[in-house]
Amino acid sequence: MGANVVILDYGSGNLRSAERAVARTGADVTVTSDLEAAAAADGLVVPGVGAYAACMAGIDQLGAGPVIADRVAAGKPVLGICVGMQILFDSGVEHGVETKGLGLLPGSVTKLSAERIPHMGWNTVSVAGGSRLLADLAIGSRFYFVHSYAAQDLDLLVQAGAQVTSASHDLPFAAVVEAGALSAAQFHPEKSADAGFALLSNWVAGLE
């Protein structure tokens, strides 16, 4: 039996594709809103699509914030994906409205400063030295992004001790953040073919 992974169901979409992608690594995967299961799992995946404020409302309604924070504090792995990454930050600003996030990563998620919004499609990344999630990744590997907002204060993350893998859409932004038990990806690993599978496999391997 592989590592036990819970994909947190808090009302955000894209759960089944994430479930299938993680299961491909050999993990035993459960999609659930059960907070006890989320707390006890070897690894917890926090997905997310759509608006920052809507995702935070779902997290708050379920009461999942403290469970996620307690896992990180206890050194129990958490992986945030897309908006599930963004809500790990202090706040998010959409359409001029700031929404408080989980505060597990420093800084705010803001609109990309780019000619074309959203940033949609395949893009390469600049891998952080010592990255565990992207270890042995082939040079030039591409990941699939769909987003208009991102964490763009890379220096703040580095100063906080995080490893930051960046991508660029006119300007750089955080594509992967690794900070102790907390990992996060702005792109969709489940839509990123072999490169995404490699990331998920590396994360699951670290659970055992």
Side-chain angles (χ1 to χ4, degrees), residues 78-118:
V78 172
L79 173 63
I81 295 175
C82 197
V83 184
M85 170 189 184
Q86 295 178 1
I87 61 174
L88 300 172
F89 284 82
D90 290 328
S91 64
V93 180
E94 292 183 348
H95 310 296
V97 177
E98 184 172 13
T99 301
K100 181 178 173 59
L102 294 176
L104 300 175
L105 292 170
S108 185
V109 172
T110 55
K111 190 170 184 178
L112 293 167
S113 299
E115 184 176 346
R116 289 180 295 105
I117 298 291

Side-chain angles (χ1 to χ4, degrees), residues 9-174:
D9 181 0
Y10 62 95
S12 180
N14 211 36
L15 297 171
R16 297 306 166 186
S17 59
E19 178 187 22
R20 289 192 297 270
V22 176
R24 278 188 63 210
T25 69
D28 178 21
V29 185
T30 304
V31 176
T32 183
S33 57
D34 184 329
L35 295 181
E36 289 187 3
D42 297 324
L44 177 64
V45 176
V46 181
V49 294
Y52 188 107
C55 285
M56 272 309 304
I59 290 286
D60 289 341
Q61 184 173 8
L62 185 60
V67 174
I68 297 169
D70 287 350
R71 283 188 62 93
V72 173
K76 300 177 70 173
V78 172
L79 173 63
I81 295 175
C82 197
V83 184
M85 170 189 184
Q86 295 178 1
I87 61 174
L88 300 172
F89 284 82
D90 290 328
S91 64
V93 180
E94 292 183 348
H95 310 296
V97 177
E98 184 172 13
T99 301
K100 181 178 173 59
L102 294 176
L104 300 175
L105 292 170
S108 185
V109 172
T110 55
K111 190 170 184 178
L112 293 167
S113 299
E115 184 176 346
R116 289 180 295 105
I117 298 291
H119 173 218
M120 181 181 297
W122 296 89
N123 202 349
T124 57
V125 299
S126 178
V127 179
S131 170
R132 293 176 294 104
L133 288 185
L134 301 176
D136 303 320
L137 192 75
I139 294 174
S141 293
R142 300 168 74 85
F143 296 90
Y144 192 79
F145 292 84
V146 183
H147 63 119
S148 299
Y149 299 83
Q152 299 175 75
D153 193 341
L154 307 187
D155 288 342
L156 185 63
L157 286 164
V158 171
Q159 289 165 10
Q163 293 175 312
V164 183
T165 290
S166 64
S168 185
H169 184 59
D170 290 358
L171 293 172
F173 62 88

